Amino acid sequence: MSAAGLPEHLLQPRWHPALEQQYAELTTTLERLLPCVEVPMHLPWIDAILQLKRERGAVIMAHSYQSPEIFHGVADVTGDSLALAQAAKDCGADLIVLCGVHFMAETAKIISPGTRVLIPDLRAGCSLADSITAADVRALRARHPGVPVVSYVNTTAGVKAESDACCTSANAVQVVEAMGSDRVIFLPDRYLGAYVASQTAVELVLWDGCCEVHETFTAAQARHARERFDARLVAHPECPPEVLAEADFVGSTSAMGAWLAREKPERVALITECSMADNLRLRFPDTEFIQPCNLCPHMKRITLPNIHACLRDLSGEVTVPAGIATRARRALERMLAVGRGERV
């Protein structure tokens, strides 16, 4: 108990020697993924968060782009956007803390309307979600009457509500083909859209959005990773087409892991957000990860201190107006019905 009469885990956590023994296994894990001098600084926060999580009855969900101390240290559920959406629907928790970006927290709230959903930093946004509005979708429908709309899950609740179905990079092709139309409006990522168009006979009407993390990769960077390090190349389909053309495999975050499990490369370059390689390195200790990667500034807004504050104060609650949520839920449920149809 502190001098102020509050339990220590509700205040700024402090390091104490017992943490080393209590979290010896986790320390060993994190020291494989982070500079070893960082790990003792993370342990007090991890300990306090785990205590608060138990007291609140909360489930912490973390996207694959979260830093290792979050992904391995405090999360109950980890994975890509589809995995987190499925978990939000099925977990039955009264409280979810979503360690990702705002559209993911909105998605969890829409899918599980009776659950309280918090995000540790309400400013954690997404360049793709910011690239299109609900009004833009209505204008597209007016220009292409009768053409169904598939929106990437990286969109606001308002955009989802104007869509016929949502998709993730793991099932975009399958969702597009499930629309039963020879023409589909696909938004907002033009690079993912171009990749999907190359995998299906359905004609796609694209929007000019992109991911600030993936759009800046170049073919020259990919070739350098291959030639300098003799690495296999695995790229996310949000990368530009010239980057995808250099890759040995193109797929979502979940498909990358499946490809690594199957191919077992000696050396690989993951052309995506940096933490993806950090978190996969633990699963594949015999593979050397080359990182021609970019950090997502929005994902990195989520930290152990603001997860702690979020749980302590029940701050950062995400809400969606009922009318928008009802329509967006229909689009998300079509996505979940298709499931993980990706070819890996």
Side-chain angles (χ1 to χ4, degrees):
M1 204 61 94
S2 71
L6 292 173
E8 293 291 343
H9 69 280
L10 295 180
L11 302 172
Q12 172 132 349
R14 299 182 182 278
W15 186 88
H16 54 86
L19 293 173
E20 288 185 348
Q21 182 174 358
Q22 184 177 354
Y23 294 104
E25 185 176 347
L26 177 60
T27 295
T28 300
T29 294
L30 292 179
E31 284 180 344
R32 294 170 58 186
L33 307 173
L34 297 168
C36 61
V37 294
E38 289 185 15
V39 177
M41 295 185 287
H42 293 315
L43 291 183
W45 291 105
I46 290 170
D47 180 59
I49 288 167
L50 294 180
Q51 289 187 64
L52 273 170
K53 181 175 71 171
R54 288 191 294 269
E55 290 173 12
R56 298 294 195 193
V59 171
I60 297 180
M61 299 185 181
H63 189 267
S64 299
Y65 294 167
Q66 287 297 300
S67 300
E69 67 274 13
I70 296 171
F71 190 91
H72 297 286
V74 300
D76 302 292
V77 178
T78 58
D80 61 7
S81 297
L82 182 57
L84 299 185
Q86 289 169 325
K89 183 177 182 180
D90 299 336
C91 77
D94 293 326
L95 179 66
I96 290 173
V97 177
L98 201 298
C99 298
V101 293
H102 194 270
F103 77 79
M104 297 176 182
E106 277 191 333
T107 297
K109 182 63 180 178
I110 293 165
I111 287 291
S112 186
T115 299
R116 192 172 188 182
V117 177
L118 311 179
I119 186 169
D121 192 329
L122 285 164
R123 299 169 299 168
C126 172
S127 60
L128 273 173
D130 290 342
S131 74
I132 191 165
T133 66
D136 293 325
V137 183
R138 291 191 291 270
L140 278 168
R141 283 192 180 277
R143 289 201 296 273
H144 305 280
V147 178
V149 174
V150 172
S151 68
Y152 196 22
V153 75
N154 300 40
T155 48
T156 64
V159 167
K160 290 179 175 72
E162 299 292 336
S163 305
D164 296 289
C166 293
C167 71
T168 69
S169 55
N171 65 7
V173 173
Q174 289 73 24
V175 171
V176 163
E177 292 179 344
M179 302 311 294
S181 174
D182 58 5
R183 199 162 184 246
V184 167
I185 297 168
F186 185 92
L187 53 90
D189 191 311
R190 67 180 184 271
Y191 293 138
L192 176 61
Y195 175 73
V196 172
S198 74
Q199 304 296 303
T200 180
V202 178
E203 179 189 355
L204 298 188
V205 178
L206 302 180
W207 182 257
D208 192 24
C210 58
C211 167
E212 65 187 280
V213 171
H214 292 97
E215 70 167 326
T216 57
F217 289 113
T218 66
Q221 288 174 319
R223 286 193 295 272
H224 175 76
R226 186 192 300 283
E227 294 165 6
R228 172 68 177 81
F229 300 101
D230 190 28
R232 305 284 296 279
L233 304 182
V234 175
H236 194 281
E238 291 174 20
C239 294
E242 60 270 21
V243 174
L244 303 187
E246 297 286 339
D248 297 290
F249 178 74
V250 175
S252 70
T253 53
S254 60
M256 289 179 182
W259 183 89
L260 288 167
R262 183 178 68 246
E263 298 293 325
K264 299 179 175 59
E266 180 181 346
R267 200 170 289 110
V268 67
L270 298 188
I271 307 175
T272 186
E273 212 277 344
C274 295
S275 291
M276 184 69 193
D278 290 332
N279 293 320
L280 280 174
R281 188 179 294 117
L282 197 66
R283 283 175 57 192
F284 302 102
D286 297 327
T287 295
E288 180 183 357
F289 286 82
I290 309 301
Q291 291 183 260
C293 61
N294 293 324
L295 286 169
C296 174
H298 309 291
M299 286 284 183
K300 269 38 186 184
R301 284 188 178 277
I302 310 302
T303 64
L304 290 175
N306 61 28
I307 296 170
H308 178 265
C310 170
L311 275 167
R312 182 192 62 209
D313 305 332
L314 296 178
S315 57
E317 184 165 5
V318 174
T319 59
V320 181
I324 290 175
T326 297
R327 291 185 291 137
R329 191 174 303 117
R330 287 195 290 265
L332 284 165
E333 285 173 347
R334 293 188 77 169
M335 174 187 83
L336 294 175
V338 172
R340 194 174 297 284
E342 184 171 37
R343 307 175 188 93
V344 296

